[in-house]
Amino acid sequence: MNLARTLSPLIEGDVRDDPYTRHLYSSDASMYAMEPLAVAFPRHTDDVRALVIACGELEVPLLPRGAGTSLAGQTVGAAVIVDFSRHMNRILEIDGRSARVQPGVVQDQLNRAARRHGLMFGPDTSTSNRATIGGMIGNNSAGSHSILYGSTVDHVQALRVVLADGGTPDLASDARLSAAVAEALRGVDLSGFPRFWRHSGGYRLDLAARHLPNLTPLVVGSEGTLAVVTEATVRLVDLPRAKAIAVGHFTSTPAAIAATADALSFGAASVELIDRAILDLSRQRVDYAGLGGILSGDPEALLFVEFFGDSADEVAGLAGELASRWKANSHGYHTLRAVTAEQQAAVLKVRKAGLGLLMASSVGSRRPLAFVEDTAVPPERLLPYVEEFARILDRHGLKAGFYGHCSVGCLHVRPFVDLRAPGEIATMRAVAEEIAELAARHGGVNSSEHGDGLARSEFNRRLFGEPVYEAMRRVKQIFDPRGLLNPGKIVDAPPMTEHLRDPAMPAPRPLRTALAFAGGMHAAADRCMNIGVCRKDDTGVMCPSYMATREEEHSTRGRANALVKALTSDDPRRALGDERVHGILDLCLECKACQSECPLGVDMAAMKSEFLHQYQELHGVPPRSRLFAAIRTLNRLGSATAPLSNWLAAPLRGPLGLSTRRPLPRFRRDHLLRWFGRRPVSAAGRPGGREVILLADSFTTYTEPGIGRAAVELLERAGYRVRLESAGCCGRASISKGLLERARAMAEAMVGRLAGSDAPIVGLEPSCLLTLKDEYAALLPGDPRVAAVAARARLVPELLTGAVDDGSLPLGDGLSGSTILLHGHCHEKAVVGTAATRDLLSRIPGATVEEIDAGCCGMAGSFGFEREHYDLSMKIGGLRLFPAIAAAPPATLLAATGVSCRQQIAHGTGRAAHHPVELLHQVAALP
């Protein structure tokens, strides 16, 4: 049956059932995979109802899905998956203290809108930047502040739903449904259900009985097995007026847990734990570097205690009182108090990233798996519970990371297991059974906020007892008589060891690659564990194409999964030549943000380059790609023939496949090399100065030579003797276009020229200079010179900041009173961070520096010039960058480190952006 052909005419949205779409939706953030029958993207409730009715007539299961970040396998199944995140993602209204939303609304999206009213949505998951409200309703999610705000069910006021028969009842008052549920619960003793208040397993029969005839609480947490939610009205809570965080440092995880009671006694809003394993991982990441600089010593565990209050003095006082109490009770050896927004941002970023950081330590198929990660016990039982938990893991020879919510007795413990190794599946199951019984013995629950899914549903009969479990089955029968809504979850589930992703995945066939990937290209793609950070849309850079299209296949996760499918095919080389795969990879801007912002460091930029190399081996290299790959030669010739070349270039845009709406850069006849060679000898720096090698890239040499001149003069004023490296291209453009053999030759030549010196190597264009630090290792594996060159390579601001600080580069006050708005280059953010550039600008006397969190500019080198990519390029720029610049007063100075960024800003906003060295040059005391 061709479901797409059958279902598509019935809805305004679209339905897809091609193999790659089905594969992309076959997994979520769990250890499971089940290929769906099709994927539907409804635009409104009528579409959803039409899909439900049609699937019922066809006797085809249906599964509602949000961001696909479920950890227990709730959102995978052999069904028609209904993706609400793409179109049904509108906030319909905020009225008083309530919000009416569609299920695809993201938690942070709702909070941004609510913030204008001084409100927020209380449950706050660590996945708030991509988790949808519909998914939170499906799981009955909670989050770190559940001690104050409870779970999602405590905030859902009303739901609009579609039942399995297409009906759209009012859950608050439907007489037929409420009578049937009341009958199903007759005689069932619910006095001990659930064991612990923080509970998201099974159906909430206790709430159903308490709130009859209103069945809304029953549907919350039902994982799409009872009804399909199409709209929700949720309660909002007041934003805290002030926050403070006390970060306790402990010599062991048990010592940190033992300090929880003191924190709770002061009315903490949250008490969160991360252990040594996660802390060490955070220290290895550029994007988490802020935490390492404020910690004391080398703690084995940290306890983050957050206080809310009406004033800064109040919450700071509570943090101080807790620090004193801990000291008096010998809890920990140091307490950091984070009272400023900057301090809090650094600690909260790591606290919320526990899952991703733990996943980053995966090696091959040995991963920290979610199968016992969601138990919760009363906080006073947490310490003995964790001690017994650790002994069970030790007995089975398993290691694990510990993090989570001490305030409510919930630690997310994820043992490392290799499900492809002999005996490991049996070990996993044995541990799951022992931990479920352990939680019950301590008065706890097996699932406290992540739901049942495929991982825990099997245990529900045993944990809840026969009468309660059978009542749950009767409730399922009432709502979904034919069992078509997300079957196999909560009741009548398969064993937890079925549908496991890794054991079922075919072994990859050998593939010779031009770039060196640790473990091969398949291993690089398979590092993705689908946690979905690449689906965020309001901060950072990753993933610009997803932010613009909201298409799963245009996220890093979607592309990684597509490559996994291709690379596990019978002929991976031919699969990489598939046009469908090309379409999925085509909109990757190679921004490298996934290299740093993806907790697992999935490097999609490198994989796209390799993909293009493999694809072009079969289909040939397009002329336009050859043209851009030869950008240095093109710019050199254009400069030599300017201004004639500038007049001739514009009419060639159309024939070359470039957008006629995009202005071209102007070639400069007075290029950097000509200026450098014609300078008088007296201007060439101090005779005894230390040599520095300036990478004369293709852009600041031939199209923006003023930037290169400014850098040379600043470096020489700082006491350096500048040597230009101008003999050839670094290979950046060839790498981007997949011409990897050409890039390798360029890299070998460049390394050969640079390896004979120990002088610092500096650059002005981040994408070029950082190629030496990043891609050269993959192009020239095993060449010891590469690491030496990489160690010497740095951006110009690093040297200039030191020169300003030691007095060798004095600055004037010519820009005093100015505000400088900084936009960093994507590669700079990903590989080294923007701190050095920001620090340099902050040295300008009297100037105020603000860095915009505006993501990728959308230009991405040649991408924004290409006719078929122009509209997307401008849409990406228009998401955050252009509005941020438009909001800045006209007198604001704009700084951007990348040539593409400056081109995009000029074209998209009509305002000029300067390279930071140009601004420094304006105030430097030059001879």
Side-chain angles (χ1 to χ4, degrees):
M1 180 193 307
N2 188 318
L3 279 172
R5 188 178 302 162
T6 301
L7 298 176
S8 289
L10 306 178
I11 68 171
E12 188 178 334
D14 59 310
V15 182
R16 302 174 191 168
D17 62 1
D18 66 278
Y20 274 94
T21 297
R22 296 203 313 273
H23 179 78
L24 266 54
Y25 283 83
S26 68
S27 54
D28 54 14
S30 73
M31 58 187 175
Y32 296 100
M34 297 177 70
E35 189 166 280
L37 306 175
V39 181
F41 305 91
R43 291 186 175 272
H44 43 65
T45 297
D46 288 344
D47 274 2
V48 178
R49 187 166 182 269
L51 287 167
V52 171
I53 291 172
C55 286
E57 292 172 350
L58 296 169
E59 297 188 353
V60 169
L62 181 142
L63 194 167
R65 174 165 161 147
T69 57
S70 299
L71 294 172
Q74 295 94 315
T75 57
V76 300
V80 173
I81 286 182
V82 181
D83 182 351
F84 286 95
S85 67
R86 185 173 166 208
H87 299 305
M88 293 185 67
N89 52 31
R90 291 185 298 128
I91 299 171
L92 302 173
E93 69 172 335
I94 294 179
D95 183 14
R97 300 177 67 85
S98 297
R100 190 162 57 87
V101 302
Q102 293 182 317
V105 166
V106 172
Q107 182 184 340
D108 278 358
Q109 174 192 353
L110 174 58
N111 282 332
R112 287 196 300 273
R115 189 177 299 120
R116 294 193 290 269
H117 304 270
L119 302 169
M120 68 178 190
F121 187 55
D124 57 335
T125 64
S126 62
T127 55
S128 62
N129 58 9
R130 67 266 195 200
T132 64
I133 300 299
M136 295 179 72
I137 290 169
N139 277 355
N140 189 25
S141 301
S144 60
H145 298 113
S146 60
I147 193 171
L148 286 185
Y149 302 125
S151 303
T152 299
V153 69
D154 301 307
H155 300 266
V156 174
Q157 297 174 318
L159 296 174
R160 288 186 64 185
V161 301
V162 178
L163 298 185
D165 63 0
T168 55
D170 182 346
L171 288 176
S173 60
D174 188 276
R176 182 189 67 82
L177 275 179
S178 61
V181 170
E183 180 61 29
L185 299 182
R186 187 186 303 278
V188 180
D189 181 7
L190 296 173
S191 58
F193 176 83
R195 290 190 183 92
F196 183 50
W197 70 267
R198 202 177 193 275
H199 173 78
S200 70
Y203 298 130
R204 290 303 298 267
L205 303 184
D206 58 319
L207 297 180
R210 188 184 313 159
H211 292 282
L212 281 172
N214 185 1
L215 297 177
T216 300
L218 178 62
V219 171
V220 177
S222 63
E223 301 182 6
T225 65
L226 300 183
V228 180
V229 175
T230 60
E231 186 179 300
T233 301
V234 297
R235 179 172 64 91
L236 303 175
V237 300
D238 290 322
L239 276 169
R241 291 188 176 91
K243 299 180 183 179
I245 303 173
V247 184
H249 296 50
F250 300 89
T251 56
S252 70
T253 296
I257 294 171
T260 299
D262 282 350
L264 294 177
S265 71
F266 286 99
S270 68
V271 184
E272 304 283 295
L273 170 86
I274 64 171
D275 72 355
R276 176 61 175 264
I278 295 169
L279 186 57
D280 283 349
L281 289 166
S282 74
R283 286 170 163 158
Q284 299 168 19
R285 302 291 297 264
V286 169
D287 46 335
Y288 294 100
L291 182 66
I294 59 178
L295 295 182
S296 175
D298 192 19
E300 289 292 324
L302 295 176
L303 208 59
F304 299 79
V305 182
E306 197 167 6
F307 293 103
F308 292 168
D310 292 329
S311 70
D313 288 343
E314 178 191 354
V315 293
L318 289 169
E321 289 181 48
L322 175 60
S324 298
R325 176 75 61 84
W326 273 347
K327 185 175 181 179
N329 291 341
S330 299
H331 286 315
Y333 66 86
H334 176 73
T335 301
L336 165 72
R337 300 175 211 181
V339 294
T340 69
E342 185 177 2
Q343 290 170 334
Q344 292 175 18
V347 299
L348 288 175
K349 185 174 184 180
V350 175
R351 191 206 72 189
K352 295 188 75 169
L355 167 60
L357 289 168
L358 196 60
M359 297 303 294
S361 58
S362 302
V363 178
S365 55
R366 183 178 179 270
R367 314 179 195 264
L369 297 183
F371 62 97
V372 289
E373 90 298 346
D374 197 35
T375 59
V377 300
E380 64 272 16
R381 301 296 306 158
L382 185 58
L383 181 54
Y385 171 73
V386 168
E387 289 174 338
E388 289 188 62
F389 199 131
R391 286 195 290 271
I392 290 172
L393 295 180
D394 287 344
R395 190 167 64 251
H396 288 278
L398 298 179
K399 302 294 183 183
F402 288 69
Y403 68 98
H405 322 298
C406 288
S407 51
V408 290
C410 171
L411 289 188
H412 300 315
V413 184
R414 297 175 67 102
F416 283 81
V417 181
D418 183 351
L419 295 178
R420 293 177 181 169
E424 291 285 270
I425 293 176
T427 297
M428 178 187 69
R429 180 180 185 85
V431 170
E433 291 176 343
E434 291 184 51
I435 296 302
E437 293 173 2
L438 177 66
R441 283 204 312 275
H442 284 270
V445 295
N446 203 32
S447 178
S448 66
E449 63 179 348
H450 294 166
D452 287 334
L454 294 169
R456 286 179 281 273
S457 293
E458 175 195 354
F459 301 109
N460 283 344
R461 184 187 295 272
R462 183 192 317 172
L463 294 174
F464 300 144
E466 197 71 23
V468 171
Y469 183 78
E470 285 301 320
M472 291 180 181
R473 295 185 73 234
R474 291 194 294 272
V475 166
K476 169 71 171 174
Q477 179 71 17
I478 291 166
F479 279 83
D480 181 21
R482 290 182 291 172
L484 294 179
L485 296 182
N486 200 6
K489 319 291 165 52
I490 298 183
V491 297
D492 300 323
M496 68 169 294
T497 51
E498 290 189 12
H499 309 299
L500 294 170
R501 174 182 178 269
D502 285 347
M505 186 184 298
R509 298 293 181 93
L511 176 71
R512 184 178 179 182
T513 59
L515 294 177
F517 296 95
M521 188 178 181
H522 173 268
D526 195 40
R527 278 194 63 76
C528 176
M529 279 300 290
N530 302 308
I531 60 179
V533 180
C534 48
R535 289 175 59 100
K536 60 185 171 60
D537 67 353
D538 66 325
T539 187
V541 178
M542 179 179 71
C543 176
S545 53
Y546 173 79
M547 291 181 185
T549 68
R550 299 189 72 93
E551 285 264 25
E552 172 70 20
E553 66 184 52
H554 297 150
S555 68
T556 304
R557 178 175 76 175
R559 294 184 178 111
N561 280 326
L563 287 173
V564 167
K565 178 176 173 60
L567 293 167
T568 52
S569 67
D570 291 339
D571 186 349
R573 184 171 177 271
R574 185 157 298 279
L576 291 176
D578 190 284
E579 291 300 329
R580 181 71 175 98
V581 184
H582 185 275
I584 292 171
L585 272 291
D586 181 54
L587 299 189
C588 170
L589 279 73
E590 299 178 72
C591 66
K592 294 192 185 182
C594 46
Q595 192 180 90
S596 61
E597 293 183 27
C598 169
L600 289 106
V602 172
D603 189 353
M604 189 51 61
M607 285 187 277
K608 180 180 179 181
S609 296
E610 182 64 47
F611 163 77
L612 288 173
H613 170 77
Q614 301 286 340
Y615 179 86
Q616 289 164 176
E617 287 281 296
L618 292 176
H619 299 283
V621 180
R624 187 179 67 185
S625 293
R626 292 191 185 278
L627 179 71
F628 278 122
I631 190 66
R632 189 172 187 87
T633 300
L634 179 67
N635 283 0
R636 178 170 53 79
L637 293 175
S639 177
T641 57
L644 178 62
S645 54
N646 292 319
W647 299 337
L648 296 176
L652 294 175
R653 287 177 294 182
L656 291 173
L658 308 182
S659 172
T660 56
R661 293 174 286 173
R662 174 77 67 181
L664 295 173
R666 306 285 291 178
F667 300 117
R668 294 284 297 272
R669 193 169 185 84
D670 55 337
H671 56 74
L672 178 63
L673 306 184
R674 178 172 293 171
W675 169 83
F676 192 82
R678 291 178 175 178
R679 289 185 313 152
V681 176
S682 60
R686 300 178 189 174
R690 183 186 177 193
E691 183 180 68
V692 63
I693 301 171
L694 176 62
L695 194 66
D697 66 80
S698 304
F699 311 102
T700 51
T701 299
Y702 297 111
T703 61
E704 295 182 300
I707 297 172
R709 294 176 194 169
V712 170
E713 291 179 349
L714 288 168
L715 288 166
E716 290 180 343
R717 178 65 179 85
Y720 289 98
R721 183 165 40 86
V722 179
R723 177 185 126 201
L724 286 188
E725 170 45 56
S726 58
C729 181
C730 68
R732 171 72 260 161
S734 295
I735 294 168
S736 297
K737 290 302 177 186
L739 279 72
L740 297 182
E741 296 304 333
R742 175 189 174 97
R744 190 190 325 280
M746 292 177 174
E748 286 177 339
M750 180 69 78
V751 168
R753 293 192 297 271
L754 296 175
S757 166
D758 62 355
I761 305 163
V762 296
L764 293 157
E765 174 55 35
S767 63
C768 294
L769 187 279
L770 296 176
T771 298
L772 278 61
K773 294 183 76 71
D774 191 7
E775 283 89 351
Y776 276 18
L779 285 166
L780 303 172
D783 188 335
R785 301 174 302 165
V786 171
V789 167
R792 291 160 48 209
R794 63 200 70 176
L795 294 172
V796 168
E798 292 186 52
L799 265 65
L800 294 181
T801 301
V804 173
D805 290 347
D806 67 19
S808 57
L809 182 59
L811 302 178
D813 59 1
L815 293 179
S816 181
S818 299
T819 296
I820 302 172
L821 210 57
L822 170 64
H823 175 72
H825 189 284
C826 292
H827 291 193
E828 178 185 12
K829 295 172 186 174
V831 180
V832 295
T834 57
T837 301
R838 193 171 58 247
D839 289 347
L840 177 65
L841 290 172
S842 71
R843 299 305 195 274
I844 296 176
T848 301
V849 181
E850 299 175 7
E851 185 171 5
I852 333 170
D853 181 11
C856 177
C857 73
M859 190 65 177
S862 64
F863 186 90
F865 286 103
E866 293 163 353
R867 182 167 49 222
E868 69 274 22
H869 296 146
Y870 173 83
D871 288 334
L872 180 66
S873 169
M874 295 301 290
K875 184 174 182 179
I876 291 169
L879 292 175
R880 286 185 286 151
L881 179 60
F882 297 166
I885 291 174
T892 302
L893 296 171
L894 306 179
T897 50
V899 58
S900 294
C901 309
R902 295 189 292 275
Q903 291 167 347
Q904 180 79 322
I905 288 170
H907 181 51
T909 70
R911 296 175 66 171
H914 307 274
H915 193 288
V917 301
E918 293 180 290
L919 297 178
L920 199 74
H921 190 266
Q922 289 184 37
V923 298
L926 298 175

